[in-house]
């Protein structure tokens, strides 16, 4: 087997293009304060199983480097996704484009990547999901990827002082990933060697999350993820979120990539994201009224992350959840009882 030496930043290739991902909110358990949208299948295809509404998502990130050796000073990452609930399962589709050609760090080239997934509630506590992923890369020669991903989420409930405690896991990139064969030579995490396969084969993600405070006015939660790419690295993600009136959320994240840090590729400045939810009405539209979409929810987000010493990312995102959540309790009618 080849030594583990992906390009710097390659393990985060699909975690660059939205504020929620940049700020650590896209965890294997749905973030410190649970939120599952179409982009959630990037980390765990099971997260969407409890979703009731169609979700449309778009995210864009501007990457900028201050390294003198980089001829290209600007890169971009963009994504679009859709989630549609059906009676038996929830469908999600995701497309990402990453264009980063920095010589020192994030020497990723150009790629377009996609995922298609299905998720399902097995019980009121257990969600499972699976997805197929694929992609095409160019700039440093042509390459392709095709793989399979599995995941689960268990909603435990209250655990001691923690509210909405949950844990989950996923196994990603089971298949053929990008590699450096037939490509222009470029350095990996270890600058002395050429880059190898990425992202890591059979990447395992484990995590837990819960809320310290949860009421109608305020919620404070935390999430912790451990990622093991190809059994040869350890990445620790921490996310802290505070929410006010289920309307305004502050997300703060910290990432520690052991192998990159050992090789001198590090940045310990926390990432930050701001998320704003609001409802809107669509009037005089028969189609929306028929679908119960006349009142829907829009989510606007922004984020910043210092990726490495001189590489920074600024991101913006937009989500539309069609319709409103059904919060009413099920109605039980006993046949034969007098009204």
């Amino acid at each position: 087997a080849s030594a583990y030496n992906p390009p710097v930043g390659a393990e985060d290739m699909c975690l660059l293009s939205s504020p929620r991902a940049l700020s650590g909110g896209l965890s294997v358990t749905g973030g410190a304060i649970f939120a599952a949208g179409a982009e959630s299948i990037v980390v765990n295809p099971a997260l969407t199983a409890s979703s009731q509404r169609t979700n449309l998502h778009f995210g864009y990130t501007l990457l900028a480097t201050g390294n003198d050796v980089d001829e290209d000073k600007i890169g971009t990452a963009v994504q679009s996704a859709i989630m549609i609930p059906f009676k038996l399962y929830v469908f999600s589709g995701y497309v990402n484009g990453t264009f980063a050609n920095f010589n020192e760090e994030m020497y990723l080239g150009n790629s377009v990547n996609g995922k298609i997934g299905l998720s399902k509630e097995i019980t009121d506590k257990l969600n499972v999901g699976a997805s197929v992923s694929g992609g095409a890369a160019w700039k440093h020669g042509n390459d392709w990827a095709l793989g399979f991903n599995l995941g689960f989420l268990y909603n435990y409930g209250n655990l001691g002082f923690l509210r909405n405690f949950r844990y989950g896991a996923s196994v990603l990139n089971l298949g053929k990933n990008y590699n450096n064969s037939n490509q222009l030579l470029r350095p990996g995490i270890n600058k002395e060697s050429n880059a190898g396969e990425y992202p890591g084969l059979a990447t395992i993600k484990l995590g837990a999350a819960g809320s310290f405070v949860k009421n109608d006015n305020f919620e404070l939660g935390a999430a912790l993820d451990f990622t093991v790419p190809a059994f040869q690295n350890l990445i620790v993600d921490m996310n802290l979120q505070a929410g006010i009136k289920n309307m305004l959320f502050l997300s703060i994240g910290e990432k520690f990539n052991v192998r990159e840090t050992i090789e001198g590729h590090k940045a310990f400045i926390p990432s930050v994201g701001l998320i704003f939810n609001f409802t809107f009405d669509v009037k005089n539209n028969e189609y929306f009224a028929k679908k119960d979409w006349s009142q829907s929810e829009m989510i606007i987000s922004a984020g910043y992350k210092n990726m490495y010493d001189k590489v920074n990312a600024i991101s913006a995102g937009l989500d539309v959840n069609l319709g409103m959540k059904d919060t009413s309790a099920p109605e039980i009618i006993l046949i034969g009882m007098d009204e």
Side-chain angles (χ1 to χ4, degrees):
S2 60
Y4 177 83
N5 195 36
V8 178
E11 298 296 354
D12 293 331
M13 189 169 59
C14 289
L15 294 173
L16 301 174
S17 41
S18 82
R20 195 180 296 276
L22 278 182
S23 63
L26 204 64
S27 78
V28 74
T29 52
I33 296 177
F34 183 79
E39 67 169 330
S40 300
I41 64 170
V42 170
V43 291
N44 186 350
L47 291 177
T48 59
S50 301
S51 299
Q52 301 175 351
R53 299 176 292 173
T54 295
N55 170 253
L56 307 174
H57 167 80
F58 177 79
Y60 175 84
T61 296
L62 176 71
L63 302 165
T65 177
N67 286 319
D68 294 334
V69 297
D70 290 331
E71 296 180 5
D72 293 342
K73 301 294 185 182
I74 299 295
T76 59
V78 61
Q79 67 182 31
S80 182
I82 185 172
M83 177 181 69
I84 305 174
F86 294 94
K87 286 185 177 181
L88 297 179
Y89 54 82
V90 177
F91 167 85
S92 297
Y94 166 91
V95 177
N96 158 276
T98 300
F99 312 96
N101 298 291
F102 306 149
N103 298 337
E104 278 288 306
E105 292 163 325
M106 300 190 71
Y107 203 168
L108 303 179
N110 302 330
S111 66
V112 173
N113 307 278
K115 293 178 183 285
I116 295 176
L118 298 176
S119 60
K120 184 175 178 60
E121 283 186 306
I122 301 301
T123 70
D124 59 349
K125 291 182 177 293
L126 177 63
N127 299 346
V128 298
S131 67
V132 176
S133 57
W138 65 100
K139 180 71 174 181
H140 307 297
N142 300 325
D143 202 358
W144 59 277
L146 182 63
F148 190 67
N149 315 283
L150 297 167
F152 83 90
L153 176 70
Y154 190 82
N155 298 287
Y156 185 88
N158 296 335
L159 178 65
F161 63 89
L162 288 175
R163 299 292 178 264
N164 193 27
F165 178 76
R166 57 203 181 276
Y167 56 88
S170 61
V171 183
L172 310 176
N173 314 320
L174 294 168
K176 188 232 180 263
N177 300 308
Y178 298 125
N179 56 59
N180 220 36
S181 61
N182 300 319
Q183 298 186 6
L184 297 177
L185 299 181
R186 52 178 163 160
I189 293 175
N190 181 348
K191 296 179 182 179
E192 304 303 318
S193 303
N194 293 324
E197 182 180 14
Y198 67 95
L201 177 67
T203 293
I204 297 174
K205 297 181 77 74
L206 307 168
S211 295
F212 305 113
V213 180
K214 182 177 173 61
N215 55 53
D216 291 340
N217 297 314
F218 181 75
E219 185 170 1
L220 177 67
L224 179 65
D225 274 18
F226 298 96
T227 303
V228 184
F231 301 97
Q232 298 181 68
N233 190 7
L234 175 64
I235 303 171
V236 182
D237 284 281
M238 294 163 282
N239 178 235
L240 183 69
Q241 289 188 34
I244 300 174
K245 291 282 190 180
N246 199 34
M247 182 181 298
L248 182 64
F249 298 86
L250 174 66
S251 178
I252 298 173
E254 184 65 272
K255 182 185 292 286
F256 180 68
N257 185 315
V258 173
R259 290 291 292 271
E260 288 190 357
T261 301
I262 291 173
E263 295 294 341
H265 309 288
K266 57 186 183 296
F268 298 125
I269 300 174
S271 55
V272 61
L274 218 81
I275 303 164
F276 179 59
N277 295 6
F278 62 93
T279 59
F280 66 95
D281 295 325
V282 178
K283 298 180 180 180
N284 302 320
N285 188 303
E286 293 183 6
Y287 180 78
F288 274 60
K290 184 178 179 180
K291 293 284 189 178
D292 290 329
W293 292 348
S294 294
Q295 189 176 54
S296 297
E297 182 182 48
M298 184 173 291
I299 305 170
I300 298 173
S301 55
Y304 166 78
K305 180 177 176 63
N306 174 229
M307 304 296 300
Y308 301 99
D309 277 346
K310 296 183 179 180
V311 180
N312 294 280
I314 300 174
S315 184
L318 175 67
D319 284 82
V320 177
N321 292 317
L322 296 174
M324 300 300 292
K325 288 182 180 178
D326 182 7
T327 57
S328 60
E331 183 179 1
I332 301 174
I333 300 175
L334 298 177
I335 299 175
M337 294 288 289
D338 293 332
E339 294 184 359

